Amino acid sequence: MNKGLLYIFGLMLIAAPSYAVDVSVATESQKLDFGKAVLLGNTATIGVDSGSRPLWLRSMKASTGNIPSAGSITFSVSELPDGYDALIIKPSVPADTELNGSECRLKITNFSFSANGVTLTESAKSGSINVGGSVQVQGFCGADYSYIGNISIPYSIQDSTQAELKTGVAVLPVEFATEYNTDVTKDTDMNFGTIVTDGTAGTVTMNTEGIITSQTGGVVRLLDTTTAGQISIYGAQNLPITNVTYDELIYLYNGENTITVDTFTLSPGRTFTLNESRNGQGYKMLKIGGTLHFSAKQAIGTYSGTLNVRISY
């Protein structure tokens, strides 16, 4: 009979039960909204804390049309997994996030939370955390425009011993609206004064300082004070005015009689920036001159009309 050794192995079984930890995340009900702000320059910062209080209002002023509000993330569970008496959800500060802007850069930063976390139990199966932050503006953003994006906020799910069970990312919508407080006012009319003629056709040219620089044809003499047209433009400090357009020719009327004005000149030109300061805003005065044409035997009287000036920024 063959004798041998009988080996008996004791096999240790190791298992880590994995319970389904299904936590629902809702962010759509309350986005992080920085409201609508009037930009006063090409750099600005506005913030809202986790209690929806506006903060850090610099180089802009709030608009009453849109009230800023903190974002909110709601975590909920239909039932706790077996073996757990609580789930603790803890958010982490997200990375700075950029929103797409036209001719500008918007960075969402300085995030804050209303609580370090929320605890879900059988008696409290949902809880919310408010999210605050600030938006930093660099450059001239498009006016009257809403910038919309998302913030990815990491979070971890822990048990009551603070052992991490699962991680996730909450996607929180964010919005910021901009406008410029650009005002355009007429300061003075363009006035060629009183022109005495000898009955033949002629012209009178006035420059942007209101000075008559040339006169041709039947002009005998000029009376009264002449003034160039003057328009004041207010807006964000250093806001670029990208184009100024106007009617190429206008008619001045005295009943059925007309005089034409054309060859308009502008100072500082068709493009410029609001690099002066007045009333706490960027400012520039636009001055307008032109050439008036009168015909032979022009009817006597006072002539008036309107020059339409369009300012783009």
Side-chain angles (χ1 to χ4, degrees):
M1 179 176 181
N2 294 330
K3 296 183 179 179
L5 296 176
L6 176 63
Y7 293 95
I8 300 175
F9 294 92
L11 184 64
M12 181 179 292
L13 300 179
I14 301 175
S18 178
Y19 298 101
V21 181
D22 295 323
V23 174
S24 298
V25 182
T27 60
E28 295 80 4
S29 60
Q30 184 62 64
K31 62 188 174 185
L32 175 55
D33 192 342
F34 292 100
K36 189 172 187 178
V38 179
L39 300 181
L40 302 179
N42 61 347
T43 58
T45 303
I46 188 173
V48 57
D49 70 7
S50 55
S52 296
R53 292 182 294 268
L55 302 172
W56 312 303
L57 193 63
R58 294 195 293 266
S59 297
M60 64 175 76
K61 60 183 180 180
S63 171
T64 57
N66 298 63
I67 300 174
S69 61
S72 181
I73 307 174
T74 300
F75 299 93
S76 60
V77 61
S78 58
E79 60 179 344
L80 293 179
D82 292 340
Y84 294 93
D85 57 359
L87 295 178
I88 303 170
I89 292 91
K90 290 189 174 182
S92 300
V93 176
D96 292 347
T97 302
E98 291 195 9
L99 301 183
N100 293 326
S102 59
E103 305 300 327
C104 71
R105 177 172 175 262
L106 298 96
K107 182 171 71 172
I108 312 300
T109 185
N110 296 319
F111 296 101
S112 63
F113 300 115
S114 59
N116 292 329
V118 296
T119 300
L120 307 182
T121 64
E122 283 295 341
S123 59
K125 293 183 178 180
S126 68
S128 299
I129 296 176
N130 289 345
V131 182
S134 66
V135 56
Q136 297 176 352
V137 180
Q138 294 287 337
F140 290 101
C141 298
D144 297 319
Y145 190 80
S146 292
Y147 297 91
I148 299 172
N150 294 297
I151 301 169
S152 296
I153 301 178
Y155 64 88
S156 65
I157 304 175
Q158 304 173 359
D159 63 16
S160 56
T161 67
Q162 298 187 354
E164 187 176 274
L165 306 175
K166 191 176 182 180
T167 61
V169 175
V171 179
L172 180 67
V174 60
E175 183 172 355
F176 177 54
T178 61
E179 65 176 313
Y180 289 112
N181 188 28
T182 303
D183 296 320
V184 179
T185 60
K186 182 192 72 174
D187 294 323
T188 61
D189 293 317
M190 185 183 299
N191 185 359
F192 287 89
T194 301
I195 303 168
V196 179
T197 76
D198 62 6
T200 58
T203 65
V204 176
T205 299
M206 178 173 59
N207 68 11
T208 56
E209 296 301 319
I211 299 171
I212 301 300
T213 57
S214 70
Q215 53 193 53
T216 66
V219 177
V220 175
R221 62 182 183 274
L222 301 173
L223 305 175
D224 305 328
T225 300
T226 58
T227 57
Q230 294 184 347
I231 297 173
S232 286
I233 306 170
Y234 297 87
Q237 188 70 44
N238 295 318
L239 175 70
I241 302 301
T242 57
N243 195 21
V244 178
T245 59
Y246 48 84
D247 302 328
E248 296 295 330
L249 180 147
I250 64 170
Y251 291 89
L252 308 184
Y253 293 92
N254 174 26
E256 296 182 355
N257 304 300
T258 61
I259 289 178
T260 61
V261 182
D262 60 13
T263 319
F264 294 101
T265 55
L266 305 178
S267 176
R270 288 180 178 265
T271 61
F272 49 88
T273 61
L274 304 185
N275 57 4
E276 299 177 28
S277 181
R278 182 175 293 186
N279 301 330
Q281 293 181 274
Y283 167 79
K284 185 71 78 175
M285 176 177 285
L286 179 65
K287 301 177 181 180
I288 305 173
T291 298
L292 179 145
H293 301 260
F294 57 90
S295 62
K297 305 298 182 181
Q298 185 76 48
I300 295 173
T302 299
Y303 293 77
S304 62
T306 300
L307 173 65
N308 295 305
V309 179
R310 294 164 289 276
I311 298 171
S312 301
Y313 57 91

